[in-house]
Amino acid sequence: MTRRLLATLALALATTPALAAWDIAQLMAELARNPGGEALFTEKKYIALLDKPVVSSGQMRYTAPDYLEKRTLLPRPERLLLDKDAITIERGKQKFTLRLTDQPEILAFADSIRGTLSGNRQALERNYALHLSGSRDNWTLNLSPSNPRIAEVVTRITIGGSRQQVRSVEYIQTDGDRAVMKIDPVAEPR
Amino acid sequence: MRLRLARPVLLWLLGLFICATLALRAHYTADMSAFLPRSPTPAQQLLVEQLTEGVLSRLLLVGIEGGTPAERADLSRALAKRLEEGGLFVSVRNGDAAILARDREILFSHRYLLSPAVTPERFSTAGLRAAVEASIDLLASPAGLMLKGLLSHDPTGEMMEMIGTLDSGGSPASQHGVWASRDGGRAILMLQTRAGGADTDAQAAAIERIHADFAGLPKVSPDARLLLSGAAVFAVHSRAAIESEAVRLSTISTAAVICLLLLIYRSVTAVALGLLPVVTGALAGIAAVALGFGSVHGLTIGFGTTLIGEAVDYTIYYFVQSDGDDGEGRWMERFWPTIRLGVLTSVLGFASLLFSGFPGLAQLGLYSIAGLVSAAAVTRFVLPHLRPAKLRIRDIAPLGRAMASFWRQLSRLRLAIPVLALAAAVVLVTHRDQIWSSGLSGLSPASSADQALDQSLRADLGAPDLRYLVVLKAADREAALLAAEKVGTQLDKLVGEGVLGGFESPARFLPSEATQRARQQSLPARDELARRLDAALIGQPLRADKLGAFLDDVDAARRQPLLTPESLRGSTLSLAVDSLLLERPQGWTVLMPLRAPAGDVPLDPARIQAALAGSGALFVDIFGESSHLYQAYLDEAILLSLAGCLAIVLLMAVVLRQPGRLIRVLIPLLATELIVMAGLALTGQRLTLLHLVGMLLIVAVGSNYALFFDRADSNPADDPRTLASLVLANLATVIGFGALAFSPVPVLKAIGITVGPGAVLTLMLAAMLARKNKP
């Protein structure tokens, strides 16, 4: 552990002069090294019709490269599962499964988060124009839809993070409504 | 001389003409009706209705394979469009989003009439608050994105309430916007034909149309192909199989018998004359069935091939045994009584089939009786007039002499009979649990390949297996829907308790008028609703001034015309209602398919029956019912066969008079039955009731041979000509039945593999037991 810490420190020191050259390729490479793990999330949806945001929270689990489970506990239990090319939503007694390959819009949404988590630049650039800002320890990746069908619904997706960890995701919809999700890892991925 | 002789011939020609006319004008069928009971119980009646007219019988599943997923989806859409335009189908479903949007539009615009949650309480201040809170909670869900747009119109979430009641048994997977198999390798369509399942011609036309429409579609990949399954496909395939079998088997056995006769007689005239009774018999049989049943089943014709083998026996006896000078008079005197008795025993055997509740068997019985009697009569009364005086056939006495020593050797082995019979009995006792086939499937003419494809397409679609049904009857539509709603309330409780996984009801998309009106009346007037809404939204993040659309919609719903079957036309909701709510000549029938709870928990019929008690609704387990049906058939067939055998024994007892002779005739028959049954059991054949009928036929046919060997005045083994005629007749019979043994149609095959070996065995055993005449 100490050795790894030292190695990271050394690496960080060694790369400090190159901070200006921090780019998407480096971010993607780093994200791709994240094997996955568990996190808690809190999501706030700001909807014009409502005076207050709708808040939900729960747990998330990601296993590289394509398994993502979002288990909402509040206000009502619900489970969303993205596994390879299938998306499953379970709520109460109901369960829906969709195949992503035939739902390009939903696939694009799924790819925005999953592509970021797995550092899959190719998947991201299929539907979005990427813009990176900030530093390695506090980066912000902006996704602007290049696919017109997605642009109809979403204006921008902003993903923030630190090193290989995604910390927040914000969706801004075309009607001005937005959803902000904060992600807090429970345990450091080993 | 000619004029005097002509009378029987004229009568025969007249009869032949009438029979031919009847046969030509007869209606031929090959559907499942021959396998369904004539006087069913209410539950069986339902089963029959489902099999012949119900949703199940009109459902066709289509799979498209090959090419890319996108291409399959395009083919699916193009095929659906063509089929809808063709008008042969009441519904074409492929999961196309456009059609689902139409459904959603109907559901949304009628949500206050359709949602089971619409009650006066729901529109009270407290009810509104709870409903709005739930809707806001739902916005937090990923599904909330889709519902956000509905919130201002539907803040109480009636749309979600309706979707929640839809059967969540798993809808088919979707690929490029249309239904696909779970593995994504096939596009799937579900069709419902306009024609009923019993109308095989119309079903065949519909199936042909699907193939033609698919063939006419432009395709990118050459390997794109169509798969088709459903009850109608089974019916059409099995009809085609039975028809081609009937023709093929008759052709083969006729050709074989003609060759045999030519070989024996060496006279074309004799062969032609010999076939006259056979042709007459076949025509008379068809005519009798057409008259007696109104239609002739293809299986009956297929079975007719056996008649060729049996009827030709009479002419073989006639030509061979009456050959020589003054042979004819001698034949009439010596052999005709034996043959007559043989015909009578056969007729008695077949007569027992007439009483069968299984129309296929009853037809078979009538066909055989009419065929055998007329063939024997033509042989006895017409052939002598037609036989040219100088007709000579080859003398087959040498053949008989050559065989005689073999038969004498055989009779030394008579001790083998009890040994064999005993061994057979032991086999039967040790195999007693595996002798009978269980279930109607053994009788189904559908090939196993067809059945496997059906299974696979059904699994792709998650199509309900429709095993459990609740059935209701009512005088009119409104009463039927009210009853369905009442039963639905009971079933909802069972769903809540986990006894049931779910159920379907026509009232889900078409509530009774009373219920629709009650829902309409639970909606408050606009001002009142606005007041309650204001109060309900205190402390909520949603403000009433954003819900003007909701007030407008509720106001409109209070005056909205009620939903009728017509307002559902063109949507898939209409199909759901039409398939579950049936108009019958005697009233309306409601079908409510039940789904077992998730996991492998079987349904508990007792709980369901208890919940239905007093409602007049009937719980039906289709699988159990068809097993009962089959068991009833089997029991009946056993009874009838025993009765037939008993009648034959009685007849012979009366005619033969001496117990010793009777026993001598019966032993070969009994031993044959035991040995054949043991043989079938040993080769792993599960016996169906058709095998049982085969057993009866062994007695009916075999008794003819046994009777010849019992003749007091001469042992055929000592009379080369008689012996030869018996062996040849036996050969002809085996050809007739043996051809059936090679048929892929299970029903025909069952009879063939039973009677073919049985006929040979009876002859040999009878020969072994023949009484020793003085040398």
Side-chain angles (χ1 to χ4, degrees):
Chain A
M1 189 68 204
T2 325
R3 256 168 79 161
R4 221 178 103 192
L5 196 73
L6 282 174
T8 318
L9 247 165
L11 193 77
L13 285 171
T15 49
T16 311
L19 251 179
W22 169 247
D23 63 8
I24 294 176
Q26 280 178 305
L27 171 65
M28 291 296 149
E30 191 151 21
L31 287 168
R33 282 197 293 271
N34 187 342
E38 295 223 358
L40 297 175
F41 75 86
T42 311
E43 189 175 24
K44 288 185 183 172
K45 285 183 177 162
Y46 299 86
I47 297 168
L49 207 57
L50 302 182
D51 299 340
K52 286 190 297 188
V54 182
V55 184
S56 59
S57 59
Q59 296 170 344
M60 277 179 108
R61 194 155 65 88
Y62 165 69
T63 307
D66 51 17
Y67 180 93
L68 180 64
E69 186 184 356
K70 183 181 170 197
R71 209 177 261 281
T72 307
L73 299 172
L74 290 170
R76 287 191 194 186
E78 185 177 61
R79 181 167 170 259
L80 174 85
L81 179 64
L82 257 170
D83 191 5
K84 297 188 180 67
D85 69 339
I87 182 166
T88 306
I89 301 175
E90 272 179 62
R91 188 182 170 89
K93 280 183 192 166
Q94 294 193 293
K95 185 173 176 177
F96 303 98
T97 299
L98 285 174
R99 198 162 281 276
L100 285 176
T101 42
D102 18 292
Q103 310 282 349
E105 290 90 345
I106 299 180
L107 179 64
F109 281 118
D111 275 352
S112 69
I113 175 98
R114 208 159 50 169
T116 307
L117 285 171
S118 61
N120 187 343
R121 183 176 187 170
Q122 223 185 338
L124 288 173
E125 287 187 335
R126 253 202 304 268
N127 293 300
Y128 304 95
L130 309 186
H131 176 81
L132 180 67
S133 59
S135 65
R136 182 166 174 250
D137 288 320
N138 187 11
W139 49 263
T140 302
L141 183 65
N142 268 307
L143 311 180
S144 313
S146 52
N147 177 336
R149 288 168 80 178
I150 299 166
E152 269 177 36
V153 192
V154 183
T155 311
R156 197 179 71 225
I157 302 170
T158 306
I159 298 167
S162 167
R163 306 211 170 179
Q164 57 174 3
Q165 191 61 54
V166 172
R167 298 285 189 175
S168 69
V169 180
E170 179 179 19
Y171 288 90
I172 300 175
Q173 291 181 245
T174 40
D175 58 7
D177 289 353
R178 63 199 176 95
V180 184
M181 182 161 64
K182 296 271 174 235
I183 300 169
D184 295 306
V186 207
E188 278 300 317
R190 287 189 295 132
Chain B
M1 176 162 160
R2 278 225 165 264
L3 274 177
R4 194 176 61 82
L5 292 179
R7 197 194 280 165
V9 178
L10 277 178
L11 271 176
W12 167 64
L13 283 174
L14 183 68
L16 203 59
F17 176 74
I18 293 171
C19 287
T21 313
L22 282 168
L24 277 177
R25 301 179 47 159
H27 176 63
Y28 293 88
T29 63
D31 56 24
M32 283 292 288
S33 63
F35 303 95
L36 301 173
R38 269 191 301 214
S39 45
T41 64
Q44 286 174 354
Q45 175 73 42
L46 179 88
L47 175 65
V48 172
E49 255 177 41
Q50 281 300 296
L51 288 175
T52 54
E53 290 294 332
V55 201
L56 214 53
S57 76
R58 303 192 309 173
L59 184 72
L60 284 172
L61 302 178
V62 180
I64 298 173
E65 285 188 352
T68 62
E71 196 187 336
R72 288 196 293 270
D74 287 345
L75 284 172
S76 168
R77 283 197 192 89
L79 182 64
K81 187 162 177 288
R82 287 206 181 189
L83 292 174
E84 277 201 4
E85 286 163 2
L88 290 179
F89 300 92
V90 284
S91 114
V92 177
R93 298 169 71 185
N94 64 350
D96 194 347
I99 295 167
L100 297 180
R102 201 159 62 193
D103 288 358
R104 227 178 353 250
E105 164 56 27
I106 292 181
L107 287 177
F108 190 69
S109 60
H110 293 92
R111 63 189 182 278
Y112 294 109
L113 301 180
L114 284 170
S115 166
V118 174
T119 56
E121 296 74 53
R122 183 153 177 110
F123 287 84
S124 67
T125 306
L128 285 169
R129 182 181 298 129
V132 171
E133 270 176 4
S135 291
I136 292 175
D137 280 353
L138 196 59
L139 286 178
S141 142
L145 195 68
M146 296 176 250
L147 295 169
K148 199 178 74 179
L150 298 180
L151 190 66
S152 61
H153 284 268
D154 184 21
T156 56
E158 303 310 330
M159 197 62 182
M160 268 322 269
E161 287 292 336
M162 282 188 290
I163 293 171
T165 62
L166 301 189
D167 201 28
S168 50
S171 55
S174 184
Q175 199 173 29
H176 288 271
V178 298
W179 283 340
S181 60
R182 302 254 174 253
D183 64 0
R186 276 181 198 152
I188 306 281
L189 294 92
M190 194 154 83
L191 317 176
Q192 183 109 21
T193 58
R194 194 170 292 286
D199 188 350
T200 314
D201 286 333
Q203 295 284 1
I207 288 169
E208 220 160 273
R209 184 54 177 269
I210 300 170
H211 281 292
D213 280 350
F214 184 75
L217 293 175
K219 291 177 206 62
V220 183
S221 303
D223 66 334
R225 63 194 171 277
L226 188 74
L227 304 170
L228 209 53
S229 184
V233 176
F234 289 170
V236 170
H237 278 188
S238 65
R239 178 169 76 167
I242 289 170
E243 279 172 356
S244 72
E245 276 303 291
V247 173
R248 198 174 69 98
L249 295 175
S250 318
T251 314
I252 290 175
S253 51
T254 309
V257 167
I258 288 176
C259 289
L260 179 73
L261 294 184
L262 272 176
L263 212 63
I264 309 164
Y265 299 161
R266 297 275 166 93
S267 155
V268 177
T269 320
V271 173
L273 284 175
L275 289 178
L276 285 182
V278 180
V279 174
T280 313
L283 279 177
I286 295 174
V289 171
L291 275 182
F293 291 88
S295 68
V296 184
H297 198 276
L299 281 181
T300 312
I301 312 286
F303 187 77
T305 173
T306 64
L307 191 79
I308 299 167
E310 249 216 291
V312 91
D313 287 8
Y314 303 138
T315 63
I316 293 176
Y317 297 146
Y318 170 68
F319 281 120
V320 174
Q321 294 166 356
S322 68
D323 199 34
D325 299 323
D326 190 33
E328 210 166 282
R330 212 167 64 96
W331 181 74
M332 297 285 177
E333 178 191 313
R334 279 186 63 200
F335 294 101
W336 174 244
T338 307
I339 294 170
R340 195 176 50 200
L341 182 59
V343 173
L344 273 178
T345 57
S346 298
V347 165
L348 277 183
F350 286 116
S352 66
L353 295 185
L354 286 179
F355 302 101
S356 171
F358 197 81
L361 286 188
Q363 280 202 9
L364 209 144
L366 184 59
Y367 178 90
S368 302
I369 291 173
L372 286 183
V373 170
S374 47
V378 170
T379 309
R380 166 70 181 77
F381 300 105
V382 179
L383 276 196
H385 295 294
L386 297 178
R387 181 181 185 167
K390 57 180 192 315
L391 179 76
R392 274 288 174 272
I393 62 163
R394 187 164 76 117
D395 183 13
I396 61 165
L399 189 67
R401 271 192 287 279
M403 290 177 196
S405 67
F406 169 72
W407 292 106
R408 264 191 286 275
Q409 298 291 330
L410 210 53
S411 64
R412 297 221 178 101
L413 295 173
R414 62 173 58 194
L415 273 181
I417 297 175
V419 176
L420 273 176
L422 202 69
V426 169
V427 167
L428 288 179
V429 170
T430 54
H431 285 71
R432 65 187 174 281
D433 294 331
Q434 304 140 41
I435 292 178
W436 298 104
S437 160
S438 57
L440 279 171
S441 63
L443 295 175
S444 166
S447 76
S448 50
D450 278 355
Q451 290 182 11
L453 174 64
D454 191 58
Q455 282 286 317
S456 142
L457 283 174
R458 223 165 254 280
D460 285 347
L461 261 184
D465 55 5
L466 292 180
R467 174 175 172 173
Y468 302 106
L469 288 172
V470 169
V471 186
L472 289 165
K473 297 213 187 279
D476 55 44
R477 187 167 65 209
E478 177 69 5
L481 288 169
L482 276 170
E485 284 164 355
K486 224 168 129 193
V487 168
T489 318
Q490 295 299 318
L491 294 178
D492 271 331
K493 283 185 201 150
L494 294 180
V495 173
E497 291 165 22
V499 176
L500 269 184
F503 67 95
E504 288 171 48
S505 166
R508 194 152 282 162
F509 303 119
L510 184 64
S512 67
E513 285 180 17
T515 300
Q516 293 190 51
R517 209 163 281 128
R519 286 179 185 155
Q520 237 172 1
Q521 284 160 3
S522 26
L523 302 173
R526 191 187 173 102
D527 294 347
E528 176 61 24
L529 179 62
R531 228 185 338 270
R532 291 183 196 173
L533 196 59
D534 278 338
L537 293 180
I538 294 171
Q540 298 283 339
L542 185 61
R543 264 173 300 149
D545 58 356
K546 292 184 175 166
L547 296 178
F550 169 55
L551 297 179
D552 291 345
D553 284 4
V554 172
D555 200 38
R558 296 179 73 224
R559 283 183 292 274
Q560 183 176 26
L562 298 185
L563 259 179
T564 60
E566 288 68 40
S567 41
L568 295 177
R569 287 279 163 259
S571 71
T572 59
L573 309 176
S574 165
L575 171 76
V577 171
D578 288 350
S579 60
L580 302 178
L581 179 66
L582 315 166
E583 190 176 4
R584 293 266 168 261
Q586 64 276 25
W588 290 73
T589 301
V590 175
L591 303 179
M592 302 173 75
L594 306 182
R595 201 157 41 76
D600 282 334
V601 189
L603 224 51
D604 181 358
R607 295 280 306 268
I608 295 160
Q609 270 152 353
L612 296 177
S615 65
L618 190 66
F619 169 72
V620 181
D621 173 357
I622 293 274
F623 178 76
E625 213 44 62
S626 68
S627 302
H628 283 161
L629 187 61
Y630 178 75
Q631 198 54 49
Y633 276 158
L634 194 59
D635 292 347
E636 182 204 66
I638 291 176
L639 200 71
L640 289 176
S641 303
L642 288 177
C645 291
L646 191 68
I648 291 172
V649 171
L650 281 177
L651 173 75
M652 293 196 295
V654 168
V655 176
L656 300 176
R657 283 157 203 273
Q658 300 161 16
R661 289 179 68 192
L662 184 63
I663 288 168
R664 200 188 300 279
V665 174
L666 288 183
I667 284 177
L669 295 176
L670 188 67
T672 301
E673 297 285 18
L674 284 174
I675 295 169
V676 168
M677 261 178 101
L680 291 174
L682 281 179
T683 51
Q685 298 276 342
R686 289 289 180 115
L687 303 195
T688 66
L689 59 102
L690 271 307
H691 291 95
L692 196 66
V693 171
M695 304 290 179
L696 174 63
L697 296 189
I698 292 179
V699 175
V701 175
S703 57
N704 293 13
Y705 309 120
L707 285 170
F708 264 106
F709 279 96
D710 166 71
R711 291 170 44 76
D713 58 342
S714 74
N715 180 346
D718 300 324
D719 175 356
R721 204 170 270 160
T722 310
L723 178 62
S725 73
L726 275 176
V727 172
L728 292 173
N730 191 262
L731 209 55
T733 305
V734 171
I735 288 172
F737 281 102
L740 290 187
F742 297 99
S743 167
V745 179
V747 176
L748 296 177
K749 182 182 170 159
I751 292 193
I753 56 173
T754 313
V755 187
V760 183
L761 212 55
T762 325
L763 178 69
M764 290 175 57
L765 297 186
M768 290 183 195
L769 285 181
R771 78 172 62 203
K772 286 267 187 291
N773 280 16
K774 288 135 268 167

